């Protein structure tokens, strides 16, 4: 019954209107900082812990260790084996989630106020006393390996791996964070423990909390959970050199439809022109059916079901990417259209109407992100990691609206590089001229 209750809460939970979200910075007695949105309308709290570094902390010969470790955190802790741990979590009507990306490892927790103390005790044991039992290592490793084998038959995954290697070289970004079949097969329990020790340290910690908890209560929770973590961990790698050059790479794959990933160097999140680039991307390829590429590639020519572009400002490098798929005998035409639209936007810019429409959409859609405590907690942690001000939510749409047509067109001429656009194509494309 408790499990059902939590599910219902997740569906109906009331959160403050996005424009009224008030974020408070909380510092625990032990000196740990978090951002809090206090809301006592329902007895429920979401807590997000994020540690910078992520799978980029792997040693080159141990790729996949952090990813495997993140899948093992919930497989038993303290005196509880995996099954006992799962039963305990279920009995508390709580939910924990773990994930690893290139730049971070995240722990998400959702719990009822009445069970807060017991949930925090369990989460503390999870963070400080993971068991990493060998049978769990073997079981989760098998799951990871199954996924990696599946990825080997996915054209989009093949394109992604090839493009990343070309774009980032021997930087961690240039290889798969989940590892390879060879690297994951060779990982030992000691490698998992080392990955754990590299990640969970206070110098790379960010915390967000939303819900039925006061600043004083959150301060006590922070110290209980996190004060005993080591102060420092493995250094984060240096920035990556983006080594994308223009052209086409083809990876032969027996499929009737080719998949292409394309892109060039991008723009950092803290660049003063980021919002101009964000609006430009919406107009060019990020705006769904209203974007130029969708209109030109799909609507006018029927070359694809979908084409999209997206800015990718990672911690250690930024790229501007897009993806498209088309029949083998039509992918060459799709590539030409994309290149031409890239060049047209770079030389001619966009129109005032396109800019106004993009602003209307992006400012109107922004409040939809704040549809639950967990989502808000995650957004707040992301804001901290990007060094955004605490009032960013209230001022973000103003920043979008402040962008002028002159700003966008200047950025289009500087950012868009049609000659430097590289297409990595997986399939049996016909008629490509490089």
């Amino acid at each position: 019954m408790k499990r059902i209750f939590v599910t219902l809460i997740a569906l109906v939970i009331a959160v403050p209107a996005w424009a009224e979200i008030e974020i408070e910075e909380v510092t625990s007695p032990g000196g740990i900082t978090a951002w809090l949105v206090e809301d006592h309308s329902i007895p429920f709290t979401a807590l997000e812990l994020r540690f910078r570094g992520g799978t980029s902390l792997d040693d080159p010969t141990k790729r996949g260790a952090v990813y495997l470790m993140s899948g093992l955190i919930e497989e038993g802790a303290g005196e509880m084996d995996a099954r006992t741990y799962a039963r305990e979590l279920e009995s508390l009507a709580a939910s924990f989630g773990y994930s690893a990306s290139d730049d971070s490892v995240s722990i998400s927790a959702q719990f009822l106020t009445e069970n807060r103390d017991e949930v925090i005790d369990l989460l503390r044991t999870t963070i400080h006393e993971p068991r990493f039992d060998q049978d769990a290592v073997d079981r989760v490793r098998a799951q990871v390996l199954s996924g990696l084998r599946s990825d080997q038959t996915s054209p989009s995954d093949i394109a992604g791996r090839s493009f990343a290697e070309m774009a980032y070289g021997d930087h961690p970004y240039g290889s798969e964070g989940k590892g390879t079949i060879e690297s994951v097969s060779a990982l030992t329990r000691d490698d998992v423990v080392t990955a754990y020790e590299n990640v969970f340290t206070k110098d790379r910690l960010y915390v967000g909390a939303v819900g039925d908890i006061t600043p004083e209560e959150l301060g006590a929770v922070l110290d209980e959970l996190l004060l005993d973590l080591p102060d420092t961990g493995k250094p984060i790698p240096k920035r990556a050199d983006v080594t994308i050059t223009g052209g086409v790479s083809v990876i032969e794959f027996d499929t009737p439809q080719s998949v292409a990933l394309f892109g060039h160097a991008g723009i950092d999140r803290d660049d003063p022109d980021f919002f101009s680039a964000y609006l430009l991307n919406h107009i060019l390829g990020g705006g769904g059916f209203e974007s130029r590429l969708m209109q030109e590639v799909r609507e006018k020519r029927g070359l694809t079901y979908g084409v999209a572009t997206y800015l990718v400002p990672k911690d250690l490098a930024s790229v501007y990417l897009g993806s498209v798929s088309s029949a083998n005998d039509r992918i060459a035409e799709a590539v030409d259209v994309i290149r031409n639209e890239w060049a047209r936007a770079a030389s001619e810019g966009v129109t005032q109407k396109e800019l106004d429409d993009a602003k209307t959409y992006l400012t109107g859609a922004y409040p939809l992100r704040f549809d639950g405590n967990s989502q808000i907690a995650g957004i707040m942690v992301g804001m901290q990691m990007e060094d955004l001000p605490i009032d960013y939510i209230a001022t973000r749409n103003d920043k979008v609206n402040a962008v002028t047509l002159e700003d966008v067109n200047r950025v289009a001429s500087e950012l868009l590089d049609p000659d430097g656009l590289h297409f990595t194509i997986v399939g049996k494309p016909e008629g490509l001229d490089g």
Side-chain angles (χ1 to χ4, degrees):
M1 180 63 69
K2 286 184 177 180
R3 192 173 188 179
I4 295 172
F5 181 49
V6 170
T7 302
L8 290 174
I9 282 178
L11 292 173
V12 304
I13 186 166
V15 296
W18 77 279
E20 299 173 0
I21 291 173
E22 294 185 6
I23 303 175
E24 178 180 358
E25 184 170 281
V26 174
T27 302
S28 75
I32 297 173
T33 299
W35 284 9
L36 167 65
V37 174
E38 190 175 355
D39 175 25
H40 301 288
S41 62
I42 196 166
F44 179 89
T45 300
L47 181 68
E48 181 81 8
L49 312 176
R50 200 167 296 172
F51 297 83
R52 192 187 295 274
T55 62
S56 296
L57 296 175
D58 282 335
D59 289 337
T61 60
K62 306 291 184 181
R63 287 299 274 160
V66 168
Y67 185 81
L68 178 60
M69 181 274 297
S70 71
L72 284 161
I73 287 288
E74 63 181 334
E75 297 291 327
E79 298 181 357
M80 296 171 286
D81 62 14
R83 183 170 297 181
T84 304
Y85 180 93
R87 285 200 298 264
E88 178 67 13
L89 183 62
E90 183 176 7
S91 73
L92 292 171
S95 173
F96 295 165
Y98 312 89
S99 63
S101 69
D102 284 343
D103 293 325
S104 67
V105 171
S106 298
I107 301 178
S108 306
Q110 298 86 38
F111 50 87
L112 298 169
T113 302
E114 64 181 275
N115 295 334
R116 181 196 299 148
D117 292 345
E118 294 91 341
V119 172
I120 295 304
D121 284 344
L122 180 60
L123 187 56
R124 175 183 166 78
T125 304
T126 304
I127 295 173
H128 290 271
E129 302 176 53
R131 289 168 63 106
F132 301 135
D133 292 331
Q134 188 62 52
D135 64 331
V137 173
D138 294 340
R139 182 176 64 257
V140 175
R141 185 214 313 272
Q143 295 168 358
V144 173
L145 290 172
S146 177
L148 290 173
R149 293 188 184 99
S150 178
D151 291 346
Q152 290 185 327
T153 63
S154 166
S156 59
D157 287 319
I158 294 170
R161 290 193 299 272
S162 178
F163 193 96
E165 184 177 356
M166 179 269 300
Y168 304 114
D170 59 3
H171 190 274
Y173 286 173
S175 58
E176 175 59 66
K178 291 186 290 186
T180 65
I181 291 174
E182 293 74 22
S183 69
V184 174
S185 296
L187 292 174
T188 67
R189 181 184 182 278
D190 287 344
D191 296 328
V192 173
V193 172
T194 298
Y196 161 80
E197 293 171 345
N198 288 342
V199 167
F200 292 108
T201 60
K202 287 186 290 190
D203 62 327
R204 54 179 52 118
L205 169 67
Y206 301 84
V207 183
V210 180
D212 185 29
I213 190 168
T214 66
E216 294 74 22
E217 291 166 339
L218 178 58
V221 164
L222 295 174
D223 283 351
E224 173 70 14
L225 278 179
L226 305 165
L227 193 58
D228 293 341
L229 287 176
D231 289 332
T232 60
K234 182 179 180 179
I236 292 173
K238 296 179 181 179
R239 285 188 65 85
D241 293 326
V242 177
T243 55
I244 302 172
T245 56
V248 175
S249 301
V250 176
I251 300 171
E252 290 284 338
F253 192 82
D254 190 12
T255 176
Q257 181 167 265
S258 290
V259 172
L261 185 67
F262 57 91
H264 57 53
I267 185 170
D268 291 344
R269 180 62 183 81
D270 61 358
D271 191 293
D273 286 325
F274 181 81
F275 278 106
S276 297
Y278 188 61
L279 284 157
L280 170 66
N281 175 64
H282 183 85
I283 296 166
L284 180 57
F289 282 96
E290 302 305 314
S291 72
R292 286 186 177 185
L293 289 182
M294 189 71 94
Q295 288 294 313
E296 296 295 329
V297 181
R298 171 177 168 153
E299 296 301 309
K300 293 183 180 180
R301 295 172 176 85
L303 299 174
T304 183
Y305 282 112
V307 56
T309 61
Y310 29 93
L311 299 173
V312 187
K314 297 185 181 185
D315 283 358
L316 305 175
S318 296
V319 293
Y320 191 3
L321 296 180
S323 59
V324 67
S325 57
S326 188
N328 286 326
D329 62 352
R330 306 199 74 187
I331 189 68
E333 185 181 356
V335 168
D336 286 343
V337 174
I338 291 168
R339 279 177 171 158
N340 289 339
E341 287 304 309
W342 218 263
R344 183 166 74 92
S347 62
E348 300 176 11
V350 304
T351 68
Q352 186 66 55
K353 184 180 186 308
E354 286 177 316
L355 178 58
D356 292 342
D357 288 347
K359 288 181 178 181
T360 297
Y361 178 85
L362 292 173
T363 56
Y366 188 57
L368 301 180
R369 300 183 186 182
F370 303 91
D371 61 350
N373 287 10
S374 298
Q375 288 82 356
I376 297 173
I379 289 170
M380 289 196 302
V381 168
M383 289 166 56
Q384 294 174 65
M385 294 188 72
E386 293 171 357
D387 199 27
L388 298 173
I390 201 167
D391 66 347
Y392 174 79
I393 292 173
T395 63
R396 181 266 195 186
N397 277 355
D398 293 337
K399 292 178 171 62
V400 172
N401 284 323
V403 174
T404 67
L405 185 63
E406 181 182 4
D407 293 331
V408 173
N409 289 339
R410 173 180 53 79
V411 169
S413 68
E414 296 170 353
L415 175 63
L416 300 179
D417 181 10
D419 292 334
L421 202 58
H422 190 98
F423 289 80
T424 295
I425 302 175
V426 178
K428 291 189 172 182
E430 301 174 12
L432 286 170
D433 55 8

